Amino acid sequence: MPRAEAKERNRRALLDAAFQVVSRDGYRARLEEIAERAEVTTGAIYSLFGSKNGLVVALVADYLRPYYEEIEQAVPAGLDLLEAVDAFARFYRRSCDVPDALSGLSLQITLLDMALHDPELGSQLATSIRAQESHLIALFTGRSHNGSVVTSQQAQRLTTALRALFVGLGQGVPLGLAPGADEQYFAYVARALASGMSLVEHDEDAS
């Protein structure tokens, strides 16, 4: 096997193994078990990712990248802001029902626990997640809303608010804590949140 191909094979195997082990064990995850599952040595982890934290950060980026690519497909150009938010909300709700939704929720909660135990890792994870969310900010920027065009700063505020809203709702769905929270409900609350953007801007300008 060519060296580059072998390197990519090992990288992929380690990310897949890390997803399983980290989702289950969190900050207690052992590099030895991850390497064993991937059929490589622990040295390969340091060679490819630099450290255990480097592996975890790469795992998050690897997990989120296809997710944001799917969002871009689900929210086409040409929609105004509220239509785009509606489409995003419906996509997010559907993602709560996919076969690996519980695994994703487990990873989400585990990563939060890891960040609380390791502030340095928490900072690295925050940087990685913000980098991925830049795709969502770009997706909302430039869309029409209330007779004007959404700025990058407005899109950033909206993305932060939508993330907070959907993380809470998204955790409630598989746990049975959000009865009746179907696609229509997700779209409704997301539209209500986005509709207040102009008011936020007005209040800031007045101050």
Side-chain angles (χ1 to χ4, degrees):
M1 182 182 296
R3 183 175 180 179
E5 186 176 340
K7 182 177 180 180
E8 180 55 29
R9 178 268 169 201
N10 291 342
R11 179 181 179 279
R12 181 72 264 160
L14 282 167
L15 289 171
D16 291 342
F19 181 89
Q20 299 298 325
V21 178
V22 171
S23 295
R24 185 193 68 200
D25 297 339
Y27 69 92
R28 297 184 182 86
R30 296 172 53 251
L31 291 183
E32 292 79 6
E33 181 179 356
I34 294 174
E36 182 179 353
R37 282 176 176 251
E39 299 181 347
V40 299
T41 65
T42 55
I45 295 176
Y46 291 102
S47 175
L48 290 167
F49 301 103
S51 64
K52 179 178 178 180
N53 282 2
L55 173 59
V56 174
V57 171
L59 167 63
V60 172
D62 183 71
Y63 180 78
L64 290 177
R65 188 176 300 109
Y67 174 74
Y68 281 104
E69 290 174 353
E70 291 175 7
I71 291 175
E72 291 176 354
Q73 296 176 5
V75 186
L79 302 180
D80 66 23
L81 179 66
L82 294 186
E83 291 170 335
V85 167
D86 187 295
F88 171 53
R90 292 177 185 276
F91 168 84
Y92 197 106
R93 177 61 183 85
R94 290 193 298 272
S95 72
C96 297
D97 295 327
V98 298
D100 64 346
L102 288 179
S103 296
L105 176 59
S106 176
L107 178 64
Q108 184 183 110
I109 295 173
T110 297
L111 290 172
L112 176 59
D113 184 51
M114 294 179 73
L116 293 175
H117 281 85
D118 186 343
E120 181 181 350
L121 173 60
S123 177
Q124 293 174 334
L125 288 174
T127 298
S128 177
I129 292 171
R130 279 195 295 267
Q132 293 296 326
E133 286 188 347
S134 65
H135 297 293
L136 195 56
I137 294 170
L139 193 65
F140 291 137
T141 300
R143 296 185 185 269
S144 61
H145 180 59
N146 286 347
S148 60
V149 175
V150 178
T151 66
S152 177
Q153 188 176 33
Q154 287 175 316
Q156 183 175 12
R157 292 194 189 100
L158 177 61
T159 296
T160 299
L162 287 173
R163 171 167 48 80
L165 174 66
F166 287 149
V167 165
L169 285 174
Q171 290 177 358
V173 170
L175 296 176
L177 300 177
D182 55 11
E183 279 189 35
Q184 185 61 38
Y185 180 80
F186 268 59
Y188 174 80
V189 295
R191 276 176 169 267
L193 180 64
S195 295
M197 278 185 52
S198 59
L199 296 178
V200 172
E201 291 293 307
H202 177 73
D203 290 343
E204 289 183 351
D205 291 342
S207 64

